[in-house]
Amino acid sequence: MIRLDNISKQNGHQIVFIEASAALNKGEKIGLVGPNGAGKTTLFRLITGQEQTDEGQVAVDRGITIGYFSQDVGDMKGRSATAEVMDGAGPVSEIAAELADLEAAMADPARADEMDDIITRYGEVQGRFEELGGYALEGRAREVLAGLSFSQEMMDGDVGALSGGWKMRVALARILLMRPDVMLLDEPSNHLDLESLIWLEDFLKGYDGALMLTSHDREFMDRIVTRIVEIDGGSLTTYSGNYAYYLQQRALAEKQQQAQFDRQQAMLAKELKFIERFKARASHAAQVQSRVKSIEKIERVEPPKRRQTVLFEFRPAPRSGEDVATLKSVRKGYGSRVIYDGLDFQVRRKERWCVMGINGAGKSTLLKLIAGTAAPDDGSVSIGASVKMGYFAQHAMDLLDGEETVFQSLEYAFPQAGQGSLRALAGCFGFSGDDVEKKCRVLSGGEKARLVMAQMLFDPPNFLVLDEPTNHLDVMTKEMLIKALSQFDGAMLFVSHDRHFLAALSNRVLELTPDGIHQYGGGYTEYVARTGHEAPGLHV
């Protein structure tokens, strides 16, 4: 359906692709992976014709419809979320617009003399609309929006009043409703809660078109894709299987390449030693010359590329008391809406609680109550003896001073720390070289999240309260964070929609449901096994 034949592409001084080739065939589901900046979005833009190759060609079969979801959603306002989604449904949405115009014309007395033609045209258009399943379109649009956690009120309200994250969901719903021959989805799992993520996973599993997607959520990708295309160093490499299998295959390929490199290096060292030893002897001149020529002809094996990963290690935090946080008979509401009424909950030392619940269940509210950024209407919240809290929330990224550089931000936070240790800290969180001189205002969402996390973890707390810490983080940074937090010796309370993160770090689950609050010993994996669902109200 889509073929990339020996494509080369350069953006400014950066070489993105060098004679790279790959293909997307009918019904295939491909995961596109590679380091940040490797060219994943550029590849999508080349396929959709928004950018052109410098050399080679992108061949798309004639008549193929392509739906492309990107993070750049554009301006949306002036109509309902449902109407916005229906507008993306291809030809049927254009016919729906013409039907609406014709209905308005039939009701216009000034056009009475045209009525016969209008009615004839209306009949033709209505027939075509029925043929394309137009009357079911609104129902399907609402079904998709409901799957992405929209309430009826949000579906019918002005799309312009929605936040950026909800507008992203509207843009995604447009592509899903369109059901094109090929879907290109650039980070569709961003901005989704766990329930929406699982719904989208099921939707894409049942989609019979071709799919190419990027995602920082490895669990999501693992369950959908059947092939991986890796972008690295200007080339495209294809692996069969899902993301987990790709990691195994890549590690095996690197190991084999390293072994080949080592063997060749040993052979070359032996040959060079012979040449060095006998080059001055006339009796060995012919042999020496022969070996020099054969060395020159050998095609050199390159060592495998090493992805630079720096692990963050916690400095020992002061030990807290056994009781870290205690909520007694807590009541909390917003206006007439009651979130908690008589909540009793306790976090003890070394416990790692993940908080589960649908949108509006009160997950972030619980974290705010414990962090002290919200007060209970009744009851008490107390923090235990010697507890030093680190609180990560999405709004913390908005508090960064846009005019400070990354390094200045760390310096002002830790004036007593040496430059070397701050540079090492920045490096652990992905800021190396000139990156530390970037102004905070130009940082991406992921970079801001990493900087806030670096500030929080440098002076180690013994109680971490984390609200969606993995939002915006790429797979590599998530892995680093999981490894670091698995070594953390204190207590944790966190909300996350990343199932890999939940499974790796939790040893307790607090489930908030309309029927009440349930506590489970054992982590997220045990919770899924025991309840039969991955999120409250959703069945496996």
Side-chain angles (χ1 to χ4, degrees), residues 249-260 262 304 306:
Q249 292 300 299
R250 198 188 70 190
L252 185 62
E254 282 182 359
K255 191 176 177 183
Q256 289 170 342
Q257 192 173 344
Q258 184 67 51
Q260 280 183 305
D262 291 343
R306 298 286 177 206

Side-chain angles (χ1 to χ4, degrees), residues 15-18 20 33-35 38 230-237 239 246-247 249-261 301-309 476:
I15 294 170
V16 187
F17 299 113
I18 311 166
V33 303
E230 180 189 54
I231 306 179
D232 200 6
S235 64
L236 293 169
T237 310
Y239 296 83
Y246 146 75
L247 289 178
Q249 292 300 299
R250 198 188 70 190
L252 185 62
E254 282 182 359
K255 191 176 177 183
Q256 289 170 342
Q257 192 173 344
Q258 184 67 51
Q260 280 183 305
F261 175 76
V301 175
E302 293 293 323
K305 289 177 193 154
R306 298 286 177 206
R307 296 241 174 122
Q308 193 178 2
T309 52
M476 301 279 282

Side-chain angles (χ1 to χ4, degrees), residues 206-357:
Y207 166 63
D208 55 8
L211 171 69
M212 184 180 277
L213 67 86
T214 66
S215 177
H216 293 332
D217 188 322
R218 59 178 288 176
E219 188 75 27
F220 175 74
M221 192 180 278
D222 256 346
R223 297 184 186 201
I224 294 167
V225 306
T226 52
R227 268 209 307 147
I228 294 287
V229 171
E230 180 189 54
I231 306 179
D232 200 6
S235 64
L236 293 169
T237 310
T238 301
Y239 296 83
S240 292
N242 63 9
Y243 187 79
Y245 190 65
Y246 146 75
L247 289 178
Q248 291 173 11
Q249 292 300 299
R250 198 188 70 190
L252 185 62
E254 282 182 359
K255 191 176 177 183
Q256 289 170 342
Q257 192 173 344
Q258 184 67 51
Q260 280 183 305
F261 175 76
D262 291 343
R263 281 197 300 273
Q264 190 179 72
Q265 289 300 302
M267 180 273 288
L268 289 171
K270 190 176 173 186
E271 292 295 288
L272 289 169
K273 190 175 178 184
F274 178 90
I275 291 164
E276 193 61 33
R277 184 177 173 190
F278 294 111
K279 66 181 178 183
R281 296 190 191 177
S283 59
H284 287 74
Q287 284 175 283
V288 167
Q289 281 305 310
S290 171
R291 293 196 182 196
V292 167
K293 281 177 185 173
S294 68
I295 284 176
E296 286 170 354
K297 287 177 187 172
I298 288 172
E299 190 175 332
R300 300 299 166 104
V301 175
E302 293 293 323
K305 289 177 193 154
R306 298 286 177 206
R307 296 241 174 122
Q308 193 178 2
T309 52
V310 186
L311 275 184
F312 178 76
E313 290 182 7
F314 281 91
R315 294 184 299 173
R319 180 179 167 137
S320 70
E322 288 301 315
D323 296 340
V324 174
T326 306
L327 285 76
K328 285 185 181 170
S329 305
V330 164
R331 180 183 170 84
K332 180 67 180 173
Y334 296 101
S336 60
R337 187 161 157 263
V338 176
I339 306 291
Y340 296 117
D341 191 6
L343 170 64
D344 293 315
F345 175 59
Q346 186 168 50
V347 179
R348 295 175 63 79
R349 197 172 77 84
K350 294 206 172 188
E351 288 182 341
R352 296 162 173 230
W353 287 90
C354 71
V355 186
M356 311 288 296

Side-chain angles (χ1 to χ4, degrees), residues 63 95 98 115 127 141 163 184 188 199 224-225 270 290 341 360 395 503 522 538:
I95 293 167
E98 189 179 351
M115 204 52 67
S163 69
L184 305 177
W199 178 87
I224 294 167
V225 306
K270 190 176 173 186
S290 171
D341 191 6
H395 75 266
L538 292 181

Side-chain angles (χ1 to χ4, degrees), residues 217-219 475 478-479 482 496-505 524:
D217 188 322
R218 59 178 288 176
E219 188 75 27
V475 176
K478 274 188 200 176
E479 288 299 325
I482 287 170
S496 175
H497 64 255
D498 189 293
R499 285 159 292 178
H500 181 55
F501 188 88
L502 291 169
L505 295 173
Y524 177 73

Side-chain angles (χ1 to χ4, degrees), residues 99-112 114-115 118-119 122:
L99 267 183
D101 290 343
L102 289 165
E103 284 164 4
M106 284 191 285
D108 184 356
R111 299 185 67 178
E114 302 172 58
M115 204 52 67
I118 291 170
I119 290 169
Y122 186 80

